């Protein structure tokens, strides 16, 4: 088991710690690129570290509201020299320029958020209710500081569950019913112990959410392994139809159990090419998945659901799989353009791999649905934070959003100091928050800050617009309903002035090296680029 360095504070604007006055302690550091060698997906090097800065800076909430009203730039530096701070801007044009074309729209954003796993819900329910609600309001309120707008829910237990083990994993139909009603014992009530109470609170706070539901395994009696671990669906049409029925019933049951919930999308199987894990998993071929999706669309229609169906739900390195699924559905006349798409993870491959899929099926919605944060036990919090800011910005969020993904959902909302509760084989995982169980202290991780740079400024329905991508300035641009332009970028280079320009709107900020920044260009930037 691994633990993190104990020195940090909390998001002050969430009101979760007495006397907390800053987001987190910051350390000034010299410019320098992080090492990018961790094969799991997080870099393991760090910039040189300096000394802690004392608490006392203004909280995130006030800074965010100011940026949104008048335009400006908010930035986060990997080594915490600045953490979610508004930085000074000028009307001068620098040599590093991103040009935005607001009249060239692309795909819409649909949401940003975490997975509400059984582990995360269990940890949240151990918190005093007032404190838990304060945290959830800060994360999901439409007028709050973070404004998260998406969730992923596992159907039955995933690998992250309290007391994880073969004897405690479950689905909603572990007992097989009679031949004429194999799902006679279908029941989601075990989720009342974890996910459902927390989800009700989140939906009440957030109102509209993009919710994606995903199964890790079919019930054991539907599988070749006779277990929730490993195996495939039994190779017969009746089982495939029963699986489609199970998924549609899960969606319907969740919507009935949670007032105000509308499920946006359902994936057919989490990681169908990973069937050797020692936790709930199930292999599935593209051919079988195409058949299940065709049946699932009918099951959803019968229940009056217009939820999207997302194929694949696995890594970027095998785009041939969702391509085969969507091609087969088109060939058999079972596709539903604009409703059937694909979901991706980032444990292997790169975001640009989805471009051929988008070109072949331009109406198919594409989502990013899972990436776990990780921590390096050999590093103090600052170095690990720096790695996370760099990797999540450069390798996940900005590439995914630039390459047609409509939303980004990371894994656990919260985990404990040991990366759990979860499987014994993975103890260095991080959620958006980490909770120190001995003290109850909540620690925001880098994943949270990267997500907030997007979620706070890009509400659902906001379309991307075209932008140039100069070397060392990966970015994504969008035009909001009020006409303001938002550009999220990473200065993947030493300190320099960076300009975002859209016609007569110009905004320039001096950014430290390896800094994530969100530029908001409103009408205030029009006159000679001035504020």
């Amino acid at each position: 088991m691994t633990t993190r360095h104990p020195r940090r504070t909390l998001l002050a604007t969430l009101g979760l710690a007495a006397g907390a006055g800053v987001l987190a302690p910051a350390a000034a550091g010299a410019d320098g690129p992080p090492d990018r060698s961790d094969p799991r997906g997080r870099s393991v090097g760090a910039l040189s570290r300096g000394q802690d800065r004392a608490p006392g800076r203004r909280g995130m909430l006030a800074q965010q509201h100011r940026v949104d009203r008048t335009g400006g730039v908010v930035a986060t530096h990997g080594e915490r020299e600045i953490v979610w701070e508004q930085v000074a801007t000028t009307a001068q044009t620098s040599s590093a320029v991103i040009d935005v074309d607001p009249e060239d729209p692309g795909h819409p954003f649909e949401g940003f958020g975490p997975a509400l796993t059984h582990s995360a819900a269990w940890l949240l329910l151990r918190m005093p209710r007032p404190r838990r609600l304060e945290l959830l309001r800060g994360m999901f309120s439409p007028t709050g500081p973070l404004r998260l707008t998406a969730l992923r829910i596992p159907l039955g237990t995933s690998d992250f569950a309290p007391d994880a083990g073969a004897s405690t994993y479950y689905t909603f139909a572990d007992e097989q019913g009679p031949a004429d009603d194999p799902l006679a014992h279908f029941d989601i009530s075990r989720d009342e112990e974890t996910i459902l109470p927390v989800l009700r609170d989140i939906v009440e706070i957030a109102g509209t959410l993009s919710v994606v539901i995903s199964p890790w395994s079919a019930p054991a009696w539907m599988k070749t392994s006779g277990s929730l671990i490993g195996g495939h669906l039994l190779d017969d049409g009746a089982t495939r139809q029963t699986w489609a029925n199970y998924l549609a019933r899960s969606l319907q049951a969740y919507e009935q159990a949670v007032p105000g919930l509308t499920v946006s999308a359902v994936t057919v199987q989490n990681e169908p090419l990973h069937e050797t894990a020692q936790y709930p998993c199930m292999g599935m071929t593209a051919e079988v998945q195409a058949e299940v999706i065709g049946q699932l669309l009918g099951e959803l229609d019968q229940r009056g659901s217009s939820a999207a169906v997302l194929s694949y739900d696995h890594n970027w390195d095998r785009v041939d799989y969702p391509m085969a699924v969507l091609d087969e559905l088109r060939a058999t006349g079972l596709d539903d353009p604009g409703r059937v798409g694909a979901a991706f993870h980032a444990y292997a491959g790169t975001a640009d791999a989805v471009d051929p899929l988008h070109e072949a099926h331009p109406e198919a919605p594409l989502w990013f649905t899972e990436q776990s944060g990780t921590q390096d036990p050999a590093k103090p919090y600052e170095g690990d934070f720096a790695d996370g800011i760099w990797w999540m910005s450069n390798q996940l969020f900005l590439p995914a959003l630039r390459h047609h993904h409509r939303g980004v959902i990371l894994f656990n909302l919260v985990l404990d100091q040991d990366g759990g509760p979860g499987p014994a084989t993975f103890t260095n995982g991080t959620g958006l928050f980490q909770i120190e169980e001995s003290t109850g202290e909540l620690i925001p991780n880098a994943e949270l800050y990267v997500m907030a740079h997007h979620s706070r400024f890009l509400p659902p329905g906001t379309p991307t617009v075209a932008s140039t991508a100069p070397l060392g300035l990966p970015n994504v641009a969008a035009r909001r309903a009020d006409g303001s332009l938002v550009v999220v970028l990473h200065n993947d280079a030493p300190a320099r002035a960076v300009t975002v320009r859209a016609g007569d709107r110009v905004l320039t900020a001096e950014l430290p090296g390896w800094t994530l920044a969100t530029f908001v260009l409103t009408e205030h930037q029009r006159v000679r680029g001035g504020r």
Side-chain angles (χ1 to χ4, degrees):
M1 295 291 183
T2 59
T3 58
R4 285 195 174 203
H5 195 281
R7 175 183 46 76
R8 49 247 171 188
T9 57
L10 307 178
L11 288 172
T13 55
L14 301 185
L16 296 172
V22 305
L23 300 177
D31 285 332
D35 180 348
R36 305 165 189 180
S37 58
D38 181 13
R40 182 160 176 88
R42 280 279 297 274
S43 57
V44 296
L47 313 183
S48 56
R49 285 174 286 281
Q51 300 299 314
D52 289 347
R53 288 164 67 184
R57 296 191 311 232
R58 292 187 309 157
M60 182 161 60
L61 184 63
Q63 294 171 28
Q64 289 173 322
H65 277 294
R66 180 182 174 193
V67 169
D68 250 9
R69 282 203 312 269
T70 63
V73 178
V74 64
T76 298
H77 183 264
E79 280 289 326
R80 305 175 80 80
E81 178 180 305
I82 52 174
V83 177
W84 200 265
E85 287 190 13
Q86 188 170 11
V87 298
T89 60
T90 73
Q92 305 301 314
T93 300
S94 69
S95 59
V97 179
I98 295 171
D99 280 303
V100 179
D101 182 357
E103 305 306 320
D104 187 3
H107 63 280
F109 294 122
E110 294 186 25
F112 303 92
L116 182 62
T117 61
H118 292 77
S119 292
W122 181 78
L123 288 167
L124 288 167
L125 288 171
R126 297 183 74 188
M127 297 171 62
R129 179 169 172 79
R131 191 165 185 257
R132 179 174 70 252
L133 290 177
E134 190 68 21
L135 171 64
L136 296 178
R137 289 188 193 102
M139 296 180 75
F140 293 99
S141 170
T143 58
L146 303 180
R147 303 189 186 183
L148 304 186
T149 51
L151 276 178
R152 186 179 185 219
I153 305 292
L155 300 180
T157 46
S158 67
D159 42 333
F160 279 87
D163 302 318
S167 63
T168 57
Y169 295 132
Y170 66 87
T171 71
F172 299 148
D174 288 328
E175 181 182 353
Q176 183 176 5
D180 62 342
D181 187 9
L183 295 177
H185 304 293
F186 181 93
D187 183 9
I188 69 168
S189 62
R190 285 188 68 176
D191 278 1
E192 289 289 355
E193 300 171 10
T194 50
I195 291 177
L196 284 168
V198 178
L199 182 59
R200 291 188 188 102
D201 287 339
I202 292 174
V203 171
E204 184 176 359
I205 290 166
T208 302
L209 278 173
S210 292
V211 175
V212 179
I213 57 175
S214 301
W216 264 244
S217 175
W221 53 268
M222 290 191 200
K223 298 175 64 180
T224 57
S225 63
S227 168
L228 300 189
I229 298 173
H232 294 245
L233 280 179
L234 295 173
D235 191 17
D236 62 83
T239 300
R240 295 171 191 177
Q241 178 62 54
T242 301
W243 182 231
N245 188 356
Y246 175 98
L247 296 175
R249 287 189 66 172
S250 298
L251 179 150
Q252 182 180 44
Y254 248 77
E255 290 186 341
Q256 291 174 344
V258 181
L261 173 66
T262 299
V263 173
S264 304
V266 54
T267 75
V268 177
Q269 173 58 39
N270 175 71
E271 299 189 344
L273 298 177
H274 184 41
E275 59 190 88
T276 59
Q278 295 305 303
Y279 50 76
C281 62
M282 183 169 72
M284 184 178 288
T285 67
E287 178 185 14
V288 170
Q289 191 159 117
E291 182 177 339
V292 171
I293 288 174
Q295 295 165 340
L296 177 57
L297 289 169
E299 294 281 353
L300 293 173
D301 288 343
Q302 289 178 23
R303 291 166 172 80
S305 172
S306 59
V309 177
L310 302 178
S311 63
Y312 190 48
D313 206 7
H314 209 162
N315 293 329
W316 280 325
D317 64 334
R318 288 293 306 275
V319 176
D320 59 301
Y321 186 113
M323 183 76 81
V325 172
L326 296 183
D327 285 349
E328 176 66 17
L329 289 168
R330 176 186 285 169
T332 55
L334 295 175
D335 60 331
D336 190 341
R339 186 180 183 191
V340 179
F344 295 94
H345 305 176
Y347 301 113
T350 56
D352 57 355
V354 310
D355 289 351
L357 180 67
H358 175 72
E359 292 169 7
H361 299 275
E363 300 301 317
L366 304 180
W367 268 83
F368 186 91
T369 51
E370 184 184 317
Q371 176 72 31
S372 179
T374 58
Q375 60 181 345
D376 181 352
K379 286 192 189 327
Y381 183 58
E382 301 82 25
D384 204 50
F385 184 92
D387 298 343
I389 293 291
W390 182 89
W391 195 89
M392 285 284 168
S393 301
N394 285 274
Q395 302 298 304
L396 200 164
F397 275 82
L398 296 176
L401 297 174
R402 197 169 179 92
H403 290 279
H404 319 296
H405 295 63
R406 298 187 178 190
V408 173
I409 299 177
L410 299 180
F411 211 8
N412 295 276
L413 187 157
V414 61
L415 291 175
D416 66 21
Q417 69 282 346
D418 296 320
T425 54
F426 185 41
T427 61
N428 67 331
T430 58
L432 297 190
F433 286 92
Q434 174 182 313
I435 189 167
E436 297 283 352
E437 287 203 274
S438 62
T439 64
E441 183 186 15
L442 274 168
I443 301 139
N445 287 315
E447 294 82 8
L448 177 73
Y449 288 94
V450 177
M451 183 170 285
H453 269 271
H454 297 80
S455 64
R456 177 59 180 81
F457 300 102
L458 296 170
T462 302
T464 60
V465 293
S467 62
T468 59
L471 184 65
L473 283 173
N475 69 87
V476 65
R479 180 173 183 171
R480 297 191 298 196
D482 62 2
S484 61
L485 301 175
V486 175
V487 177
V488 185
L489 62 90
H490 190 272
N491 178 31
D492 196 28
R496 58 177 167 173
V498 174
T499 296
V500 172
R501 179 173 61 195
D504 59 356
R505 287 193 255 186
V506 179
L507 196 60
T508 299
E510 292 280 349
L511 297 178
W514 296 276
T515 297
L516 178 64
T518 301
F519 283 59
V520 179
L521 282 71
T522 69
E523 295 296 321
H524 292 271
Q525 278 82 46
R526 277 199 181 276
V527 180
R528 298 180 183 174
R531 288 186 56 182

